[in-house]
């Protein structure tokens, strides 16, 4: 048995943060990662590779195509392509059982999904933290905006966030580097929307991508596809940011190719004493001991680990005296919105591949009468952008030969699109459990039960209709709504697609109805912390990662204070 | 396209980044991007031969693609290797059913040529080939309001789409006919006349 001060399970966005914080505070920390090692810069094998050097020209590898054979689940997401498939899990390595379609997108490397995430970062507000209390869905969050605000600032200063301050109560401003520019089409639509709807705002996305140098990382050079990896460290990833900080302390040990099999629990002390690990290559089992354990393995992997760590004291999963572990699974629902064409502006263009779009903050159900909806609770924001049509438009129009080639020498007309990201209600009957099958390491597979409810489906109608209404008000032509949700088990926009899976080990005030307290500490087991998406008691409508980061840093600070007090 | 050509492009691109960032790009960054393993991974295979298309099918694809994107003051689809790209996609990406549908589409082009001109498509004069392709094009893209294109016109739409992808993502199409957007700054609103052509 090898002993550390702390063990962190997972090396993605929250695992990296936990390792950085714990090691900087003096703890010798072991980081356990199921996937292979990925070395910053060296292993970004497709970065800056021109299209003609990719044999399939960076084809989207959809389900059923050659090249996607080993990724039948991962290939469901539009993010999965020839140039980044090596940063996704080969599904046979970590299968699961779907009761109804649930798309579980997974990384399988050091850095995990921090290498391929969407990089959009928005603070929550008290509109979000008070939502469960106000409308009675889920349990009340044990924290409020004031508890987490300084930690958002702490995180933003380290990761680097570019964006524009708006002074909105529902979308608090942060510590921003200068925003990226909007293009001419977006500015035109922004003007039209804000004139027609004074309570709505169009802004550039707030992104964890640098526009100024920070801690040896360089500002974005606008090559475009961040998810191939970034040698200049311009976007936040574990590789570019938290792992170098943890390594600089000399106190971190990173253990790739190592599956966390189960947690070791000492009933006499009521403490987690360590983690059982299986080597992915040799299948050899080992045990590591620590005074405190942080689970940052990703929402569903963390909950699976807790569910499969049973003992006489916790026969239904570790720290599950409440019985809610596994329940209240959520994801954002998206892929409902609208698009249209913009007339004119043909003498305007842009330069550089901006890895960012526009954002329209939530304007529904803000607590006043004007924004109240009767058909659903909570709200949504939009992400989108404008661009000029590329050469691809030639495939949809009549004509070929010299005339077509001449036409495609110029960009086409402008078009603008947007899709909503909607809040999902916490429901007990959206849950995961252990199936009777096990994987190669003897760990039971997860069985996932999750569907959208009436509230999500009602909100989607408004997401599409309001997008169309705004585009028309801004003067767009040929406005068309879209909604990828089909229902009936058909894949399109089923839960999981937003890759914002949250909940299943929620925070709360009452140990009888929640797994974690206000510091992400297990109510039942004091030296056990969960700081990834599993901890979430609701989803807000904004992208979740920066909230996970802030919660992680805050939980590490608390854990250190408690270690010093001797309570852990 | 040789490896060294691609290498120069990347060096130029990186040099441009370094200049735009005030020369602050670090030595490890350059080394990381250009290390030997990366260069090996980027190398293209030598001695190419089709794996799905027969020599005559390959030539049929090359001829049709060149009609769709012909040589002008820049090279056309054939010089850009669109036919090779199509063979690669059919071999390494298309599900079997889709591949077979494409191959049936090729056979259908020949059958149309035989019934109209009494000879295989490749044996027709260029003007006759263009007449045949114009018929396929008009059937595949009905005038607006005429509803969805008939399913039997799938092949020509796919052929045109593959030609455009193959051409405009090739070095010829992406860096000679068009230009890639340079690395460096993002400018959201510039006069189109300052560029004068679409970014690839």
């Amino acid at each position: 048995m090898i002993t550390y001060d702390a063990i962190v399970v997972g090396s993605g966005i929250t695992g990296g943060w936990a390792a950085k914080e714990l090691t900087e505070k003096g703890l010798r920390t072991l980081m356990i990662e199921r996937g292979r090692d990925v070395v910053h810069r060296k292993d970004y094998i497709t970065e800056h590779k021109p299209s003609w050097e990719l044999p399939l020209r960076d084809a989207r590898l959809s389900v059923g195509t050659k090249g996607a054979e080993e990724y039948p689940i991962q290939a469901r997401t539009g993010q999965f392509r020839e140039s980044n498939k090596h940063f996704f899990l080969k599904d046979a390595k970590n299968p699961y059982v779907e009761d109804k379609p649930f798309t579980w997108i997974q990384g399988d490397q050091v850095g995990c999904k921090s290498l391929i995430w969407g990089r959009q970062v928005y603070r929550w507000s008290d509109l979000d933290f008070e939502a469960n209390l106000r409308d009675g869905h889920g349990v009340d969050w044990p924290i409020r905006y004031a508890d987490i605000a300084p930690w958002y600032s702490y995180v933003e200063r380290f990761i680097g966030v570019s964006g524009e301050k708006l002074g909105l109560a529902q979308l608090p401003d942060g510590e921003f580097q200068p925003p990226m520019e909007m293009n001419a089409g977006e500015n035109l639509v922004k003007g039209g929307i804000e004139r027609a709807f004074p309570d709505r705002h169009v802004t550039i996305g707030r992104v964890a991508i640098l526009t100024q140098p920070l801690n040896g990382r360089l500002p974005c050079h606008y090559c475009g596809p961040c998810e191939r990896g970034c040698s200049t460290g311009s976007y936040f990833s574990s590789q570019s940011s938290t792992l170098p900080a943890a390594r600089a302390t000399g106190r971190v040990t990173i253990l790739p190719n190592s599956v966390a099999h189960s947690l070791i629990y000492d009933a006499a002390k009521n403490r987690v004493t360590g983690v059982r690990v299986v080597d992915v290559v040799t299948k050899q089992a080992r045990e590591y001991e620590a005074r405190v354990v942080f689970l940052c393995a990703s929402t569903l992997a963390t909950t699976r680990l807790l569910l499969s760590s049973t003992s006489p004291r916790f026969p239904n999963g570790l720290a599950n005296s409440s019985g809610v572990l596994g329940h209240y699974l959520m994801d954002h629902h998206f892929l409902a919105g609208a698009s249209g064409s913009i007339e004119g502006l043909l003498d305007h263009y842009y330069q550089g591949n901006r890895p960012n779009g526009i954002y329209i903050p939530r304007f529904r159900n803000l607590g006043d009468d004007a924004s109240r909806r009767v058909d659903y609770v909570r709200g949504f924001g939009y992400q989108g952008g404008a661009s000029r049509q590329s050469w691809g438009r030639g495939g949809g129009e009549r004509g070929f030969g010299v005339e077509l080639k001449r036409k495609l020498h110029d960009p086409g007309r402008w078009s603008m699109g947007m899709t909503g990201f909607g809040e999902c209600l916490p429901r007990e009957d959206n849950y995961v459990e252990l199936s009777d099958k096990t994987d190669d390491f003897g760990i039971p597979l997860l069985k996932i039960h999750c569907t959208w409810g009436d509230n999500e489906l009602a909100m989607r109608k408004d997401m599409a209709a309001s997008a169309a209404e705004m585009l028309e008000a801004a003067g767009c032509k040929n406005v068309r709504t879209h909604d990828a949700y089909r229902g009936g088990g058909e894949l399109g926009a089923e839960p999981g697609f937003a890759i914002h899976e949250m909940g299943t080990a929620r925070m709360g005030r009452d140990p009888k109805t929640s797994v974690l307290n206000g510091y992400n500490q297990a109510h039942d087991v004091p030296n056990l912390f969960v700081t990834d998406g599993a901890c979430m008691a609701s989803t807000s409508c904004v992208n979740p990662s920066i909230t996970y980061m802030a919660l992680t840093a805050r939980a590490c600070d608390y854990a250190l204070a408690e270690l010093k007090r001797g309570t852990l | 396209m040789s490896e060294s050509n691609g290498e120069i492009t990347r060096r130029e691109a990186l040099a441009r980044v370094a200049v735009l960032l005030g020369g602050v790009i670090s030595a490890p960054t350059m080394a990381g991007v250009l290390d030997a393993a990366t260069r090996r991974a980027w190398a293209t295979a030598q001695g190419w031969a089709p794996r799905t298309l027969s020599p005559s099918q390959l030539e049929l694809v090359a001829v049709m693609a060149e009609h769709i994107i012909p040589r002008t003051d820049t090279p056309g689809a054939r010089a850009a290797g669109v036919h090779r790209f199509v063979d690669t996609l059919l071999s390494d990406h298309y599900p079997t059913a889709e591949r077979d549908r494409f191959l049936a589409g090729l056979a259908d082009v020949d059958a149309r040529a035989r019934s109209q001109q009494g000879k295989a498509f490749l044996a027709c004069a260029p003007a006759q080939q263009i007449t045949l392709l114009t018929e396929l094009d008009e059937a595949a893209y009905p005038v607006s309001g005429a509803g969805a294109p008939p399913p039997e016109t799938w092949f020509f739409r796919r052929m045109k789409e593959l030609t455009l992808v193959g051409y405009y993502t090739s070095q010829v199409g992406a860096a000679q006919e068009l230009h890639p957007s340079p690395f460096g700054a993002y400018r959201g609103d510039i006069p189109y006349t300052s560029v004068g052509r679409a970014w690839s």
Side-chain angles (χ1 to χ4, degrees), chain A residues 545-566:
Chain A
S545 293
I546 193 173
T547 298
Y548 305 164
M549 295 191 223
L551 289 172
T552 303
R554 182 171 173 271
C556 290
D557 184 65
Y558 173 80
L560 255 292
E562 292 302 299
L563 275 174
K564 282 188 187 140
R565 286 179 54 210

Short mmCIF file of all heavy atoms in Angstrom, two decimals, chain A residues 545-566:
data_model
loop_
_atom_site.label_atom_id
_atom_site.label_comp_id
_atom_site.label_asym_id
_atom_site.label_seq_id
_atom_site.Cartn_x
_atom_site.Cartn_y
_atom_site.Cartn_z
N SER A 545 -19.04 24.08 -16.93
CA SER A 545 -17.68 23.72 -16.46
C SER A 545 -17.09 24.72 -15.49
O SER A 545 -16.41 24.33 -14.53
CB SER A 545 -16.74 23.55 -17.66
OG SER A 545 -17.13 22.43 -18.42
N ILE A 546 -17.29 26.02 -15.70
CA ILE A 546 -16.63 26.97 -14.80
C ILE A 546 -17.22 26.87 -13.39
O ILE A 546 -16.52 27.10 -12.39
CB ILE A 546 -16.70 28.42 -15.33
CG1 ILE A 546 -15.72 29.28 -14.53
CG2 ILE A 546 -18.12 28.97 -15.30
CD1 ILE A 546 -15.55 30.69 -15.04
N THR A 547 -18.48 26.48 -13.29
CA THR A 547 -19.07 26.28 -11.96
C THR A 547 -18.44 25.06 -11.28
O THR A 547 -18.14 25.11 -10.08
CB THR A 547 -20.60 26.15 -12.08
OG1 THR A 547 -21.10 27.37 -12.63
CG2 THR A 547 -21.25 25.90 -10.74
N TYR A 548 -18.18 23.99 -12.04
CA TYR A 548 -17.47 22.85 -11.46
C TYR A 548 -16.08 23.29 -10.95
O TYR A 548 -15.63 22.87 -9.89
CB TYR A 548 -17.23 21.73 -12.47
CG TYR A 548 -18.41 21.17 -13.22
CD1 TYR A 548 -18.19 20.41 -14.37
CD2 TYR A 548 -19.72 21.34 -12.79
CE1 TYR A 548 -19.24 19.85 -15.08
CE2 TYR A 548 -20.77 20.79 -13.50
CZ TYR A 548 -20.53 20.05 -14.64
OH TYR A 548 -21.56 19.49 -15.36
N MET A 549 -15.41 24.11 -11.75
CA MET A 549 -14.05 24.54 -11.36
C MET A 549 -14.10 25.33 -10.06
O MET A 549 -13.29 25.13 -9.16
CB MET A 549 -13.42 25.40 -12.46
CG MET A 549 -13.16 24.68 -13.77
SD MET A 549 -12.13 25.72 -14.86
CE MET A 549 -12.93 25.50 -16.42
N ALA A 550 -15.04 26.28 -9.99
CA ALA A 550 -15.14 27.13 -8.80
C ALA A 550 -15.51 26.29 -7.58
O ALA A 550 -14.95 26.48 -6.48
CB ALA A 550 -16.17 28.23 -9.03
N LEU A 551 -16.44 25.33 -7.76
CA LEU A 551 -16.81 24.46 -6.64
C LEU A 551 -15.62 23.62 -6.19
O LEU A 551 -15.43 23.38 -4.99
CB LEU A 551 -17.99 23.56 -7.04
CG LEU A 551 -19.35 24.24 -7.19
CD1 LEU A 551 -20.37 23.27 -7.79
CD2 LEU A 551 -19.85 24.77 -5.84
N THR A 552 -14.82 23.16 -7.16
CA THR A 552 -13.66 22.33 -6.82
C THR A 552 -12.65 23.13 -6.00
O THR A 552 -12.18 22.65 -4.95
CB THR A 552 -12.99 21.80 -8.10
OG1 THR A 552 -13.96 21.06 -8.86
CG2 THR A 552 -11.81 20.91 -7.78
N ALA A 553 -12.32 24.33 -6.47
CA ALA A 553 -11.33 25.14 -5.74
C ALA A 553 -11.84 25.46 -4.34
O ALA A 553 -11.08 25.42 -3.35
CB ALA A 553 -11.05 26.43 -6.52
N ARG A 554 -13.12 25.75 -4.25
CA ARG A 554 -13.72 26.07 -2.95
C ARG A 554 -13.69 24.85 -2.02
O ARG A 554 -13.38 24.96 -0.84
CB ARG A 554 -15.16 26.56 -3.18
CG ARG A 554 -15.91 26.98 -1.96
CD ARG A 554 -17.24 27.64 -2.39
NE ARG A 554 -18.08 27.92 -1.25
CZ ARG A 554 -18.97 27.05 -0.76
NH1 ARG A 554 -19.12 25.86 -1.32
NH2 ARG A 554 -19.70 27.38 0.30
N ALA A 555 -14.01 23.68 -2.57
CA ALA A 555 -14.01 22.45 -1.76
C ALA A 555 -12.60 22.11 -1.28
O ALA A 555 -12.41 21.65 -0.15
CB ALA A 555 -14.59 21.29 -2.58
N CYS A 556 -11.59 22.34 -2.13
CA CYS A 556 -10.20 22.07 -1.73
C CYS A 556 -9.80 22.99 -0.57
O CYS A 556 -9.14 22.55 0.38
CB CYS A 556 -9.26 22.27 -2.92
SG CYS A 556 -9.42 21.01 -4.20
N ASP A 557 -10.20 24.23 -0.67
CA ASP A 557 -9.89 25.19 0.40
C ASP A 557 -10.52 24.74 1.72
O ASP A 557 -9.88 24.75 2.77
CB ASP A 557 -10.43 26.57 -0.02
CG ASP A 557 -10.07 27.65 0.96
OD1 ASP A 557 -8.87 27.94 1.10
OD2 ASP A 557 -10.99 28.19 1.61
N TYR A 558 -11.76 24.29 1.63
CA TYR A 558 -12.47 23.81 2.82
C TYR A 558 -11.80 22.54 3.38
O TYR A 558 -11.60 22.41 4.59
CB TYR A 558 -13.93 23.53 2.45
CG TYR A 558 -14.73 22.87 3.53
CD1 TYR A 558 -15.27 23.61 4.58
CD2 TYR A 558 -14.96 21.48 3.50
CE1 TYR A 558 -16.01 22.99 5.58
CE2 TYR A 558 -15.70 20.86 4.50
CZ TYR A 558 -16.22 21.61 5.53
OH TYR A 558 -16.95 21.00 6.51
N ALA A 559 -11.46 21.62 2.47
CA ALA A 559 -10.85 20.35 2.91
C ALA A 559 -9.55 20.60 3.65
O ALA A 559 -9.27 19.96 4.67
CB ALA A 559 -10.62 19.44 1.70
N LEU A 560 -8.75 21.54 3.14
CA LEU A 560 -7.47 21.86 3.80
C LEU A 560 -7.71 22.42 5.19
O LEU A 560 -7.02 22.05 6.16
CB LEU A 560 -6.68 22.85 2.95
CG LEU A 560 -5.51 22.25 2.20
CD1 LEU A 560 -4.42 21.81 3.17
CD2 LEU A 560 -5.94 21.04 1.36
N ALA A 561 -8.69 23.30 5.31
CA ALA A 561 -8.99 23.88 6.62
C ALA A 561 -9.45 22.79 7.59
O ALA A 561 -9.05 22.76 8.76
CB ALA A 561 -10.06 24.96 6.47
N GLU A 562 -10.26 21.86 7.08
CA GLU A 562 -10.76 20.78 7.94
C GLU A 562 -9.64 19.80 8.30
O GLU A 562 -9.62 19.28 9.42
CB GLU A 562 -11.92 20.06 7.26
CG GLU A 562 -13.18 20.91 7.11
CD GLU A 562 -13.71 21.43 8.45
OE1 GLU A 562 -14.06 20.60 9.31
OE2 GLU A 562 -13.76 22.66 8.63
N LEU A 563 -8.74 19.56 7.36
CA LEU A 563 -7.59 18.69 7.68
C LEU A 563 -6.78 19.31 8.81
O LEU A 563 -6.34 18.62 9.73
CB LEU A 563 -6.69 18.52 6.44
CG LEU A 563 -7.05 17.42 5.45
CD1 LEU A 563 -6.15 17.50 4.23
CD2 LEU A 563 -6.96 16.03 6.08
N LYS A 564 -6.58 20.62 8.72
CA LYS A 564 -5.81 21.31 9.76
C LYS A 564 -6.54 21.25 11.10
O LYS A 564 -5.91 21.12 12.15
CB LYS A 564 -5.57 22.77 9.35
CG LYS A 564 -4.45 22.90 8.33
CD LYS A 564 -4.07 24.34 8.09
CE LYS A 564 -3.07 24.41 6.94
NZ LYS A 564 -3.32 25.54 6.06
N ARG A 565 -7.86 21.34 11.04
CA ARG A 565 -8.65 21.26 12.29
C ARG A 565 -8.73 19.84 12.82
O ARG A 565 -9.17 19.63 13.96
CB ARG A 565 -10.08 21.77 12.04
CG ARG A 565 -10.18 23.28 11.88
CD ARG A 565 -11.62 23.70 11.61
NE ARG A 565 -12.53 23.17 12.63
CZ ARG A 565 -13.81 22.85 12.43
NH1 ARG A 565 -14.32 23.02 11.22
NH2 ARG A 565 -14.55 22.38 13.40
N GLY A 566 -8.36 18.88 11.97
CA GLY A 566 -8.39 17.49 12.41
C GLY A 566 -9.74 16.82 12.32
O GLY A 566 -9.95 15.77 12.92
#
